[in-house]
Amino acid sequence: DVKVTQSSRYLVKRTGEKVFLECVQDMDHENMFWYRQDPGLGLRLIYFSYDVKMKEKGDIPEGYSVSREKKERFSLILESASTNQTSMYLCASSDRQGAREQYFGPGTRLTVT
Amino acid sequence: AQTVTQSQPEMSVQEAETVTLSCTYDTSESNYYLFWYKQPPSRQMILVIRQEAYKQQNATENRFSVNFQKAAKSFSLKISDSQLGDTAMYFCAFDNYGQNFVFGPGTRLSVLP
């Protein structure tokens, strides 16, 4: 069974803290994605990676960075968390070729106080 | 920039009835993928159905089918014989082969017993 896992389901952090969200996939997918999900806005792409050490900015990269040192792992970093980064964060992966379906993790609900 | 619009924030349908969710998108590309994803309450996002833009035939998956109108840039989802387990957020999504990944704001569907 294909699987995308995220390091935490719920996370509470203080303003100014550095926050790491980790995502691991076991499908040998080239593409990996980080989205944030907010009511009424759907999913907005923060960053995606199409290969190890490669990354592309999405629609809302400000305040975030990413790291992909291994094919199966994609990390999202909030350098200095702010209250407006309180959200649900979803990780996904997909094949670069073929059907291009994205497989999603369970999400991390981050609260910044 | 590509955009995806879902004009129905919420919908409801009686069990065993048929419901259609609307999606329109804006792109100047001629080749792309369109998807419908389902996010049940507190559960992971999963693919419902996909459509490749170069295929004229509408995709079907059991009780789920789409009406793809390329010229009108419309991609609606029809759910037949609705079941309680169909209660979820439904997201329409666009993928133009790695250039853009865009999700709509979602439609919350409630299936009523």
Side-chain angles (χ1 to χ4, degrees):
Chain A
D1 206 12
V2 297
K3 192 169 278 188
V4 179
T5 57
Q6 295 183 228
S7 49
S8 305
R9 290 300 303 271
Y10 300 93
L11 210 51
V12 179
K13 295 292 182 181
R14 293 190 182 275
T15 301
E17 280 193 84
K18 191 168 186 175
V19 181
F20 292 87
L21 303 182
E22 293 210 318
C23 174
V24 178
Q25 52 97 0
D26 66 359
M27 295 163 283
D28 202 35
H29 284 163
E30 293 88 358
N31 294 338
M32 295 189 74
F33 308 83
W34 275 107
Y35 295 93
R36 64 176 283 176
Q37 181 179 7
D38 299 289
L41 298 177
L43 277 68
R44 291 179 292 167
L45 182 64
I46 304 171
Y47 271 97
F48 80 95
S49 170
Y50 53 90
D51 205 344
V52 175
K53 297 190 185 294
M54 307 305 289
K55 61 186 179 184
E56 292 285 343
K57 292 181 180 179
D59 298 317
I60 52 164
E62 295 80 17
Y64 304 94
S65 62
V66 291
S67 172
R68 193 167 180 199
E69 297 297 319
K70 293 185 178 182
K71 190 176 185 180
E72 67 271 18
R73 190 179 298 268
F74 192 35
S75 300
L76 180 69
I77 304 151
L78 287 65
E79 296 288 344
S80 178
S82 63
T83 55
N84 63 11
Q85 292 178 310
T86 291
S87 186
M88 171 69 85
Y89 290 87
L90 296 179
C91 175
S93 70
S94 73
D95 269 334
R96 189 183 300 162
Q97 307 296 331
R100 303 186 66 81
E101 168 188 356
Q102 292 190 31
Y103 293 84
F104 284 84
T108 296
R109 184 164 295 282
L110 173 67
T111 302
V112 182
T113 61
Chain B
Q2 279 75 8
T3 59
V4 175
T5 302
Q6 294 177 248
S7 59
Q8 305 146 316
E10 294 190 25
M11 295 188 73
S12 62
V13 62
Q14 293 293 135
E15 200 173 4
E17 297 292 306
T18 294
V19 65
T20 298
L21 280 57
S22 301
C23 172
T24 58
Y25 58 95
D26 186 24
T27 184
S28 58
E29 304 289 336
S30 57
N31 293 317
Y32 46 87
Y33 282 90
L34 294 164
F35 303 88
W36 279 99
Y37 287 91
K38 168 185 177 181
Q39 187 180 42
S42 302
R43 292 177 61 188
Q44 285 175 237
M45 187 99 69
I46 57 172
L47 179 72
V48 175
I49 199 165
R50 74 170 66 84
Q51 176 81 42
E52 295 169 79
Y54 69 88
K55 292 186 177 179
Q56 292 189 338
Q57 186 171 7
N58 288 324
T60 62
E61 287 287 342
N62 301 313
R63 298 183 294 107
F64 299 88
S65 61
V66 298
N67 183 4
F68 174 48
Q69 302 287 332
K70 191 173 183 179
K73 297 179 184 175
S74 171
F75 183 60
S76 60
L77 175 69
K78 185 171 83 170
I79 306 174
S80 304
D81 185 26
S82 297
Q83 300 176 0
L84 296 178
D86 295 333
T87 291
M89 283 290 290
Y90 287 83
F91 293 96
C92 180
F94 170 95
D95 171 2
N96 64 340
Y97 294 89
Q99 299 299 312
N100 297 94
F101 306 93
V102 184
F103 281 72
T107 295
R108 184 179 301 278
L109 176 68
S110 298
V111 180
L112 308 174

